[in-house]
Amino acid sequence: MDFNEMTGVIDSPETPKKKRRFPVGTVLLILALIGIAVGAYFLMVSLLSGGMSSCDGFGIRSTVPFEEMEYVRPDKEAVFKTIDDAVKSVTADEDSYADQVKLIRDYIINDYTIYTMNTLAMIRNSLDTTDEFYMEEMNFFAEFMPLYYQKEEELSVACAQSKHMEDFEEDCYTPGYLEPYKYGGTITDESVELAQHTEELSLDYLTEAAIPTVMWNGEETPLYDLIGDPEITGEEYYKLLKVFYDKYNPIFGEMYVDLVKSNMMLAEEYGYDSFIDYAYENYYRDYTPAEAAKFMEEAREYYVPLFQKLNEDGHYDAQYDYAECSEEDLVWLLKSVTRKLGGKISSVYRYMEKYGLYDFSVSDVKEPMSYTSYLYDYDAPFIILDAVGDDTDFIGAVHEFGHFVDNYLNYGRDSGLDCSETASQGMEYLSLSCLDSVLGDDTRDLIYTKKLLDSVDVFIYQGYYNALETKVYSLDYEDVTLENINRIAGECAEEFGLKDMEPWEGYYSVSWVDVPHLYDSPLYIISYCVSCDAALQIYEMSVDSPKEAVKTYCDLVDWDWDMTFEENLERVGLESPFAQGRAEKSAKIIEEYFYS
């Protein structure tokens, strides 16, 4: 069926479809140590291209079709020798300055190739979690990367302690980059082992969570085969979930206990008082955990009553209506929307389509999460969508396309989580303004309604997950137990108005293990809530002036790197999410849609 011919919605199914995870839409699967040499990459882009601009177009990119991108495992010994040679040369200072710079640049060239190969392996492993080759490659990187970060730091320390430090920053790094390394490094053999262990835990979780099985009618059966059965009854659906969580809460829960304790030890090894402080600094946030807590306290005050009212009045029934959407339908719809948005956005979509830099397929062997990553050697972002074949894929796709636009315009430079998630959620809201002439009224209204409900869910569900992991990481080390975590999960759910929504008593005390970000990107989730407020301001603007909203969005994602997240918002005329009264204003925007 051609999506633009849909004039109605599918009737509410008698039974639920495949269980939907709340969209996670990540950019890169962020590693805590990944920032050590990122600045060097952008210098090399500048050196190799003769200067870098966020609006250069396609000319200086070295992109090839995704299917032609070749994966080669990095030669560990050769990579380490390149860094060791540079360290020796800089430390001895017997070679000429030009020779030292050449050795450092040799490392830099290798650096973004290593990140590219890591990302390629990650993407291909995500596309088929049963592919043993790429699973083995991910295991290789889980062991290799922490060792590589340690080697990188050795070179940074050598350069920082050299009499040429300022020249190295000018010619090989960026101003101020080496300053933190003047008094030595922080990566120890113990921290490397801990980082390797946390990576292995994350990989084990993602692999097992991709294709879970349950004992059903005497046979161990893939869960999604059972849930996807059109003959399943509502009673059977919830019984299946109960069986699933009875099995996997202990398994995934104990993995999480191990992960949390390892992260606590890692933060202590680096000299931080808590893993929360460590995570906030490594995510480049310009607000504190205390400010985040105050923000969520105010959001909870306004969003929990709104969430409860929307449920009581039946608005959430829309989530049980679906319109089928094939991969071809989705591509057509995204193309139509980006064409209407025009300008840079349309150009970036054409680039994405030309090189096949996305996967929107429905597959039982794909990793159960969506994300956008960046392939530095090819100057190219890539989208993986955890598609299910219905209208919800559209919002997931435009969310990831927002990340794609951000990565494309900024050459994969890490803008910080809040900037990144504003780019993705902002694109979701912009897309709504383009649906009038693209879809039939009923299908358009369905997507529109679901997106506004999704906005409430960001503050409720993501707020709940953030509260959970914040409280868990605030526990004393010996108190990090599965029993305590399950208890905290239930208490946090109640704080966010979820207790009355439980399909059975204690559901939220066990179902938290279904959230990948708790495992692969600890303490990431608060950025969904902060950025949602900023994105809602773009939505409000799009209702009255769609063209102005598009311009504001494009100006915003062309980030000013000398500004903080809040300063960038103010630069384009948007308020800080932390401004007094913002939570009340953003909740009002959504309330007016449903009740005006």
Side-chain angles (χ1 to χ4, degrees):
M1 179 185 295
D2 193 77
F3 206 78
N4 68 337
E5 292 178 355
M6 295 180 184
T7 56
V9 301
I10 297 175
D11 292 335
S12 299
E14 295 180 0
T15 58
K17 300 182 69 176
K18 171 183 172 182
K19 179 174 178 287
R20 295 289 305 176
R21 290 175 173 79
F22 190 83
V24 295
T26 75
V27 285
L28 295 170
L29 297 178
I30 297 179
L31 306 175
L33 298 171
I34 204 168
I36 291 175
V38 169
Y41 164 73
F42 299 101
L43 173 75
M44 285 307 298
V45 170
S46 180
L47 291 171
L48 296 175
S49 67
M52 182 176 70
S53 165
S54 65
C55 302
D56 279 330
F58 306 163
I60 67 171
R61 294 180 184 269
S62 53
T63 309
V64 300
F66 178 73
E67 61 186 16
E68 297 177 15
M69 294 182 185
E70 181 183 6
Y71 172 77
V72 179
R73 177 190 282 195
D75 183 330
K76 177 180 175 180
E77 300 305 321
V79 167
F80 288 172
K81 183 179 184 304
T82 297
I83 298 176
D84 287 341
D85 288 347
V87 170
K88 289 177 183 177
S89 178
V90 170
T91 302
D93 197 27
E94 294 175 355
D95 299 328
S96 69
Y97 174 74
D99 287 342
Q100 293 179 46
V101 167
K102 181 182 182 303
L103 289 170
I104 296 170
R105 288 183 178 177
D106 286 344
Y107 140 72
I108 291 172
I109 291 172
N110 281 341
D111 185 59
Y112 61 85
T113 295
I114 287 167
Y115 282 108
T116 299
M117 293 304 111
N118 190 358
T119 303
L120 264 180
M122 179 179 70
I123 291 171
R124 289 174 176 159
N125 174 247
S126 295
L127 292 174
D128 184 356
T129 57
T130 66
D131 187 319
E132 294 183 2
F133 175 80
Y134 283 108
M135 174 49 65
E136 183 58 33
E137 295 310 289
M138 290 305 294
N139 289 332
F140 163 78
F141 280 109
E143 178 183 356
F144 169 73
M145 292 305 288
L147 294 169
Y148 178 66
Y149 298 141
Q150 188 177 35
K151 286 288 186 181
E152 283 189 310
E153 187 182 66
E154 290 175 11
L155 179 55
S156 297
V157 170
C159 291
Q161 294 177 348
S162 166
K163 67 182 182 182
H164 303 298
M165 185 190 83
E166 292 183 1
D167 293 327
F168 285 146
E169 286 189 332
E170 180 71 25
D171 295 331
C172 301
Y173 295 97
T174 54
Y177 173 80
L178 294 173
E179 186 68 29
Y181 300 100
K182 289 177 69 174
Y183 303 103
T186 59
I187 300 179
T188 64
D189 290 343
E190 290 78 8
S191 67
V192 168
E193 291 178 6
L194 286 167
Q196 289 173 329
H197 184 57
T198 58
E199 276 298 287
E200 289 168 3
L201 286 171
S202 177
L203 278 173
D204 289 346
Y205 168 81
L206 291 172
T207 300
E208 193 155 355
I211 312 178
T213 62
V214 294
M215 184 63 68
W216 194 251
N217 294 331
E219 296 183 7
E220 197 71 21
T221 308
L223 175 69
Y224 295 139
D225 287 353
L226 296 169
I227 288 180
D229 183 352
E231 302 299 321
I232 189 175
T233 66
E235 182 180 353
E236 288 174 327
Y237 174 82
Y238 290 115
K239 183 179 179 181
L240 272 170
L241 291 187
K242 184 73 164 57
V243 172
F244 168 77
Y245 290 121
D246 284 347
K247 174 181 178 179
Y248 282 102
N249 178 266
I251 295 172
F252 293 155
E254 289 300 339
M255 283 186 185
Y256 188 65
V257 168
D258 192 352
L259 182 71
V260 170
K261 288 186 172 182
S262 296
N263 281 333
M264 286 178 165
M265 293 169 64
L266 188 64
E268 183 178 359
E269 188 69 24
Y270 284 129
Y272 288 83
D273 291 335
S274 72
F275 181 75
I276 295 174
D277 292 338
Y278 171 74
Y280 269 63
E281 182 170 323
N282 278 276
Y283 285 142
Y284 307 110
R285 290 192 172 118
D286 47 44
Y287 52 90
T288 66
E291 289 172 317
K294 184 174 184 295
F295 169 82
M296 285 311 307
E297 182 180 349
E298 293 179 358
R300 192 169 69 245
E301 178 183 353
Y302 293 100
Y303 276 94
V304 170
L306 177 58
F307 174 70
Q308 292 171 330
K309 180 175 174 57
L310 289 167
N311 270 289
E312 290 168 2
D313 293 345
H315 291 289
Y316 270 91
D317 292 347
Q319 292 191 333
Y320 294 101
D321 290 335
Y322 295 93
E324 292 183 5
C325 181
S326 68
E327 182 178 357
E328 292 75 18
D329 294 331
L330 183 58
V331 170
W332 173 85
L333 183 56
L334 188 57
K335 180 188 292 187
S336 301
V337 165
T338 57
R339 186 183 296 126
K340 285 177 68 68
L341 291 172
K344 294 178 186 177
I345 295 173
S346 180
S347 296
V348 173
Y349 175 82
R350 292 196 302 272
Y351 160 83
M352 182 185 79
E353 186 177 49
K354 176 180 179 180
Y355 292 104
L357 299 170
Y358 62 91
D359 186 285
F360 295 159
S361 64
V362 177
S363 171
D364 291 335
V365 298
K366 285 172 73 173
E367 199 167 65
M369 62 189 302
S370 304
Y371 64 87
T372 301
S373 52
Y374 196 82
L375 297 152
Y376 291 100
D377 273 356
Y378 300 103
D379 303 318
F382 189 89
I383 293 174
I384 286 185
L385 181 70
D386 180 25
V388 295
D390 62 40
D391 58 273
T392 57
D393 290 341
F394 171 68
I395 291 299
V398 293
H399 178 104
E400 295 306 329
F401 183 68
H403 284 310
F404 192 100
V405 170
D406 181 19
N407 275 273
Y408 175 89
L409 294 179
N410 295 294
Y411 285 80
R413 184 169 182 173
D414 185 2
S415 55
L417 298 185
D418 303 289
C419 294
S420 175
E421 292 303 331
T422 299
S424 59
Q425 295 189 75
M427 183 65 73
E428 295 178 41
Y429 291 114
L430 285 182
S431 72
L432 297 180
S433 66
C434 301
L435 296 179
D436 286 349
S437 60
V438 176
L439 296 173
D441 291 347
D442 289 343
T443 306
R444 177 205 62 208
D445 291 346
L446 175 65
I447 291 175
Y448 214 107
T449 297
K450 283 186 176 182
K451 176 55 211 161
L452 271 294
L453 292 172
D454 175 79
S455 302
V456 177
D457 286 348
V458 167
F459 289 99
I460 298 299
Y461 288 96
Q462 303 304 315
Y464 153 53
Y465 301 144
N466 171 70
L468 165 62
E469 60 179 348
T470 300
K471 289 185 178 182
V472 168
Y473 278 105
S474 298
L475 292 171
D476 291 335
Y477 182 88
E478 62 273 13
D479 291 331
V480 180
T481 64
L482 180 55
E483 180 181 3
N484 281 340
I485 295 171
N486 284 341
R487 173 183 55 78
I488 291 169
E491 292 170 354
C492 291
E494 189 168 358
E495 289 175 8
F496 281 85
L498 292 169
K499 184 174 179 58
D500 293 337
M501 306 302 297
E502 292 186 340
W504 66 80
E505 186 176 355
Y507 170 78
Y508 287 104
S509 294
V510 296
S511 61
W512 60 269
V513 298
D514 203 24
V515 183
H517 269 10
L518 297 176
Y519 294 81
D520 64 47
S521 302
L523 296 166
Y524 182 115
I525 289 172
I526 183 63
S527 289
Y528 286 127
C529 303
V530 171
S531 59
C532 186
D533 180 276
L536 276 166
Q537 295 179 59
I538 294 175
Y539 163 73
E540 187 176 29
M541 188 183 299
S542 73
V543 173
D544 297 324
S545 180
K547 289 184 178 179
E548 182 183 356
V550 172
K551 182 181 184 304
T552 298
Y553 175 88
C554 290
D555 288 345
L556 178 64
V557 299
D558 193 1
W559 306 106
D560 185 327
W561 300 102
D562 293 325
M563 292 184 173
T564 66
F565 168 63
E566 294 177 74
E567 288 169 344
N568 267 292
L569 293 178
E570 292 167 4
R571 172 176 60 84
V572 298
L574 301 178
E575 286 189 277
S576 165
F578 300 97
Q580 185 68 32
R582 271 305 315 160
E584 182 178 11
K585 288 180 182 178
S586 64
K588 187 88 171 163
I589 293 170
I590 299 171
E591 185 176 20
E592 286 180 352
Y593 171 79
F594 288 101
Y595 293 105
S596 63

